[in-house]
Amino acid sequence: MNTYLVTYTLDNSDKSYPKISTRLKLYPNWAKLFARTWVIKTSRSSKRVRDELAEAIEGEGKIMVINITDSAWATYKMDDKLIDWLKSNV
Protein backbone atom coordinates (compact mmCIF):
# COMPACT_ATOMS: atom_id res chain seq x y z
CA MET A 1 0.00 0.00 0.00
CA ASN A 2 1.15 3.50 -0.82
CA THR A 3 0.46 6.64 1.16
CA TYR A 4 -0.19 9.78 -0.89
CA LEU A 5 -0.46 13.43 -0.04
CA VAL A 6 -3.26 14.85 -2.18
CA THR A 7 -3.94 18.54 -2.60
CA TYR A 8 -6.26 20.31 -5.01
CA THR A 9 -7.87 23.58 -5.96
CA LEU A 10 -10.82 24.39 -8.18
CA ASP A 11 -11.28 27.15 -10.73
CA ASN A 12 -13.83 29.56 -9.22
CA SER A 13 -16.34 26.84 -8.40
CA ASP A 14 -17.67 25.29 -5.21
CA LYS A 15 -19.83 22.69 -6.93
CA SER A 16 -17.15 19.99 -7.26
CA TYR A 17 -15.78 20.19 -3.72
CA PRO A 18 -18.36 17.76 -2.31
CA LYS A 19 -17.69 15.41 -5.24
CA ILE A 20 -13.94 15.25 -4.66
CA SER A 21 -14.38 14.88 -0.88
CA THR A 22 -16.77 12.01 -1.45
CA ARG A 23 -14.31 10.42 -3.89
CA LEU A 24 -11.39 10.74 -1.46
CA LYS A 25 -13.42 9.06 1.27
CA LEU A 26 -13.81 5.99 -0.96
CA TYR A 27 -10.13 5.10 -0.57
CA PRO A 28 -9.48 2.39 2.07
CA ASN A 29 -7.81 4.72 4.55
CA TRP A 30 -7.78 8.53 4.55
CA ALA A 31 -7.27 11.62 6.69
CA LYS A 32 -8.16 15.21 5.91
CA LEU A 33 -5.28 17.47 6.93
CA PHE A 34 -6.60 20.84 5.80
CA ALA A 35 -9.48 22.18 3.69
CA ARG A 36 -8.06 20.87 0.41
CA THR A 37 -5.21 18.63 1.57
CA TRP A 38 -5.67 14.95 2.33
CA VAL A 39 -3.54 11.88 2.96
CA ILE A 40 -4.82 8.58 1.57
CA LYS A 41 -3.54 5.02 1.68
CA THR A 42 -4.24 2.79 -1.32
CA SER A 43 -2.68 0.14 -3.52
CA ARG A 44 -3.39 2.29 -6.60
CA SER A 45 -0.71 4.27 -8.43
CA SER A 46 -0.40 8.03 -8.11
CA LYS A 47 -1.46 8.36 -11.76
CA ARG A 48 -4.61 6.33 -11.17
CA VAL A 49 -5.49 8.34 -8.06
CA ARG A 50 -4.97 11.55 -10.02
CA ASP A 51 -7.19 10.32 -12.84
CA GLU A 52 -9.96 9.21 -10.47
CA LEU A 53 -9.94 12.56 -8.69
CA ALA A 54 -9.79 14.46 -11.98
CA GLU A 55 -13.10 12.85 -12.92
CA ALA A 56 -14.61 14.19 -9.69
CA ILE A 57 -13.61 17.80 -10.39
CA GLU A 58 -14.77 17.59 -14.00
CA GLY A 59 -11.79 19.48 -15.43
CA GLU A 60 -12.39 22.51 -13.22
CA GLY A 61 -9.19 22.62 -11.18
CA LYS A 62 -5.74 21.32 -10.37
CA ILE A 63 -4.65 18.20 -8.45
CA MET A 64 -1.30 17.06 -7.07
CA VAL A 65 -0.67 13.52 -5.78
CA ILE A 66 2.68 12.83 -4.06
CA ASN A 67 3.83 9.44 -2.76
CA ILE A 68 4.89 9.96 0.89
CA THR A 69 5.15 6.29 1.89
CA ASP A 70 7.72 5.91 4.68
CA SER A 71 8.55 9.64 4.57
CA ALA A 72 9.68 11.71 7.52
CA TRP A 73 7.13 14.23 8.75
CA ALA A 74 6.51 16.65 11.60
CA THR A 75 3.46 18.59 12.74
CA TYR A 76 2.65 21.66 14.79
CA LYS A 77 -0.62 22.10 16.68
CA MET A 78 -2.33 19.21 14.91
CA ASP A 79 -5.12 17.13 16.43
CA ASP A 80 -3.92 14.05 18.37
CA LYS A 81 -6.20 11.73 16.39
CA LEU A 82 -4.66 12.97 13.15
CA ILE A 83 -1.15 12.51 14.53
CA ASP A 84 -2.03 8.93 15.51
CA TRP A 85 -3.38 8.27 12.01
CA LEU A 86 -0.18 9.63 10.46
CA LYS A 87 1.99 7.51 12.78
CA SER A 88 0.10 4.41 11.67
CA ASN A 89 -0.13 5.16 7.95
CA VAL A 90 2.89 7.16 6.74
Side-chain angles (χ1 to χ4, degrees):
M1 296 278 270
N2 293 309
T3 304
Y4 297 109
L5 177 72
V6 177
T7 188
Y8 62 90
T9 188
L10 294 182
D11 302 330
N12 299 321
S13 173
D14 290 333
K15 72 176 186 175
S16 292
Y17 282 109
K19 289 181 183 178
I20 195 167
S21 295
T22 299
R23 182 64 192 98
L24 284 158
K25 291 176 183 177
L26 292 177
Y27 291 102
N29 207 347
W30 57 269
K32 185 174 183 180
L33 299 179
F34 303 107
R36 293 172 188 92
T37 305
W38 297 61
V39 179
I40 62 169
K41 193 163 188 170
T42 179
S43 60
R44 295 179 175 142
S45 70
S46 57
K47 182 179 177 182
R48 184 166 176 194
V49 169
R50 178 207 59 202
D51 292 347
E52 291 170 348
L53 297 176
E55 288 177 17
I57 66 168
E58 302 169 338
E60 296 181 15
K62 298 172 185 82
I63 299 168
M64 179 177 279
V65 180
I66 303 170
N67 188 331
I68 61 167
T69 306
D70 298 324
S71 293
W73 56 273
T75 63
Y76 177 73
K77 291 191 175 183
M78 299 293 286
D79 181 83
D80 288 339
K81 287 182 180 183
L82 181 57
I83 292 170
D84 291 341
W85 188 93
L86 292 168
K87 285 178 181 177
S88 297
N89 293 285
V90 178

